[in-house]
Amino acid sequence: EHETVTGIAYSPDEAKITLRRVGDKPGVAANIFGSLAKASINVDMIVQNVSEDGNATDITFTISQTDSARTSEVLHNLRNEIGFSDLIADQNVTKISVIGVGMRSQPGVATTMFRTLGEKGINIEVISTSEIKVSVLIRSEYTELAVRALHTAYGLDSS
Amino acid sequence: EHETVTGIAYSPDEAKITLRRVGDKPGVAANIFGSLAKASINVDMIVQNVSEDGNATDITFTISQTDSARTSEVLHNLRNEIGFSDLIADQNVTKISVIGVGMRSQPGVATTMFRTLGEKGINIEVISTSEIKVSVLIRSEYTELAVRALHTAYGLDSS
Ligand SMILES: C[C@@H](O)[C@H](N)C(=O)O
Ligand SMILES: C[C@@H](O)[C@H](N)C(=O)O
């Protein structure tokens, strides 16, 4: 996997925002992220899973910690329109990414990341992937442990 | 945004698998994707959102439709170990991605995608993003409508 994985990136200065039970119908995501874009708030990762009941689902995204208060404000003003049940703002997360190439054809890369974190007792709270990046959110206190373990796991230790 | 977004990709031959209520504790993701890797099943996107109760959460991922039956089999054999409440296999999805560069600093790119789909009445079922790609899963029947509308929205129509 040396040739596949080129680096580990981490950003402890992100905050995560979870909107619980937003209406799962056309136009809701546009309304949420359109309002954030209008407020010049940069959004990094966005994760939405399948609705359980077909009516509502959760959306989680990350922003910089400095934008967290403003983000909550923008979204609370939208609450009647998009209808979420809760907004959870969480500053104590770190986004960790394994970066590489052609990872879709390398099923072991994501597994190695998950296994490495699991063996260190680090819980994976959010997952979002692409062919060149496997990103997770973990508690910030585990950042150093996670980054060191991942460097070792992917053979990136030696300079 | 012309310079930012370079193309629209879509893959209607994917199937999505959702595991409802897997144990949200270290090692579970490793077990799931380790077993799939061992069975040589290539996984494309993986999405996991924050657990609501701290005990369990859902994991959704996509694979090729031809691997769907085998995937269900592998995971059902793991059921006691990882403890999901339901496995939902869904062949009628298409993954649509807006591809570009430096999209984190372009809050409008994801918004344009969501707004374009919303205006066509297309529901966004799953979202997973990175700085170079905004990916969603929609019902396959909307594929052509979505792809055409997105090409127009990002000014990619003229050859
Ligand atoms: C929840 C949100 O993504 C909604 N399904 C939409 O299409 O906008
Ligand atoms: C659900 C799964 O991601 C679990 N939290 C783990 O760390 O493996």
Side-chain angles (χ1 to χ4, degrees):
Chain A
E1 275 163 16
H2 293 4
E3 303 86 277
T4 309
V5 172
T6 53
I8 310 298
Y10 63 101
S11 38
D13 302 328
E14 300 203 15
K16 88 163 144 61
I17 305 281
T18 298
L19 292 172
R20 292 287 186 205
R21 303 195 59 69
V22 295
D24 188 15
K25 50 194 203 298
V28 170
N31 210 344
I32 292 168
F33 295 99
S35 310
L36 296 177
K38 198 148 148 256
S40 301
I41 293 166
N42 282 339
V43 171
D44 184 20
M45 84 201 276
I46 303 170
V47 166
Q48 172 191 316
N49 209 334
V50 182
S51 163
E52 199 148 4
D53 62 6
N55 282 328
T57 189
D58 301 339
I59 291 185
T60 292
F61 59 92
T62 61
I63 47 173
S64 73
Q65 285 173 2
T66 51
D67 279 339
S68 184
R70 217 154 56 82
T71 297
S72 296
E73 193 180 339
V74 167
L75 295 173
H76 275 298
N77 289 339
L78 259 191
R79 193 170 185 167
N80 289 342
E81 222 173 310
I82 58 177
F84 55 86
S85 67
D86 279 293
L87 184 158
I88 303 155
D90 179 359
Q91 310 273 2
N92 297 330
V93 291
T94 292
K95 177 181 149 199
I96 304 213
S97 303
V98 170
I99 301 172
V101 288
M103 301 209 291
R104 177 179 181 167
S105 50
Q106 302 270 351
V109 176
T111 295
T112 297
M113 182 186 205
F114 302 154
R115 200 167 267 157
T116 303
L117 297 175
E119 284 168 358
K120 295 296 182 191
I122 300 169
N123 195 44
I124 297 165
E125 304 183 8
V126 174
I127 301 172
S128 176
T129 67
S130 72
E131 291 92 347
I132 65 158
K133 210 189 224 203
V134 182
S135 294
V136 302
L137 295 181
I138 63 170
R139 279 303 96 192
S140 287
E141 59 188 324
Y142 292 107
T143 304
E144 182 178 359
L145 180 65
V147 172
R148 286 176 184 242
L150 288 169
H151 274 106
T152 303
Y154 290 106
L156 296 169
D157 273 335
S158 48
S159 52
Chain B
E1 272 164 18
H2 293 5
E3 303 87 276
T4 309
V5 173
T6 53
I8 309 298
Y10 64 100
S11 39
D13 302 327
E14 299 203 16
K16 89 162 143 61
I17 304 282
T18 298
L19 291 172
R20 293 287 186 206
R21 303 193 61 68
V22 294
D24 188 15
K25 51 193 203 297
V28 170
N31 210 344
I32 292 167
F33 295 97
S35 310
L36 296 177
K38 197 150 149 252
S40 300
I41 292 167
N42 282 338
V43 171
D44 183 20
M45 84 201 275
I46 303 170
V47 166
Q48 172 190 315
N49 209 336
V50 182
S51 163
E52 198 147 5
D53 61 6
N55 282 329
T57 188
D58 300 340
I59 293 185
T60 292
F61 59 91
T62 61
I63 48 173
S64 72
Q65 285 173 1
T66 51
D67 279 339
S68 184
R70 216 154 55 84
T71 297
S72 296
E73 192 179 341
V74 167
L75 295 173
H76 276 298
N77 288 340
L78 259 192
R79 193 170 187 170
N80 289 342
E81 222 174 309
I82 59 178
F84 55 86
S85 66
D86 279 294
L87 183 158
I88 304 154
D90 179 0
Q91 311 271 4
N92 296 330
V93 291
T94 292
K95 177 180 150 198
I96 304 213
S97 304
V98 170
I99 300 172
V101 288
M103 300 209 291
R104 178 181 180 165
S105 50
Q106 303 269 354
V109 176
T111 296
T112 297
M113 180 185 206
F114 302 155
R115 201 168 266 156
T116 302
L117 297 174
E119 284 167 358
K120 295 296 183 191
I122 300 170
N123 195 43
I124 297 164
E125 304 183 9
V126 173
I127 300 171
S128 176
T129 68
S130 71
E131 292 92 349
I132 65 158
K133 210 188 223 203
V134 182
S135 295
V136 302
L137 296 181
I138 63 170
R139 280 301 96 192
S140 287
E141 58 189 323
Y142 292 107
T143 305
E144 184 180 356
L145 179 65
V147 173
R148 286 175 183 243
L150 289 168
H151 274 105
T152 302
Y154 290 107
L156 296 168
D157 273 336
S158 49
S159 53

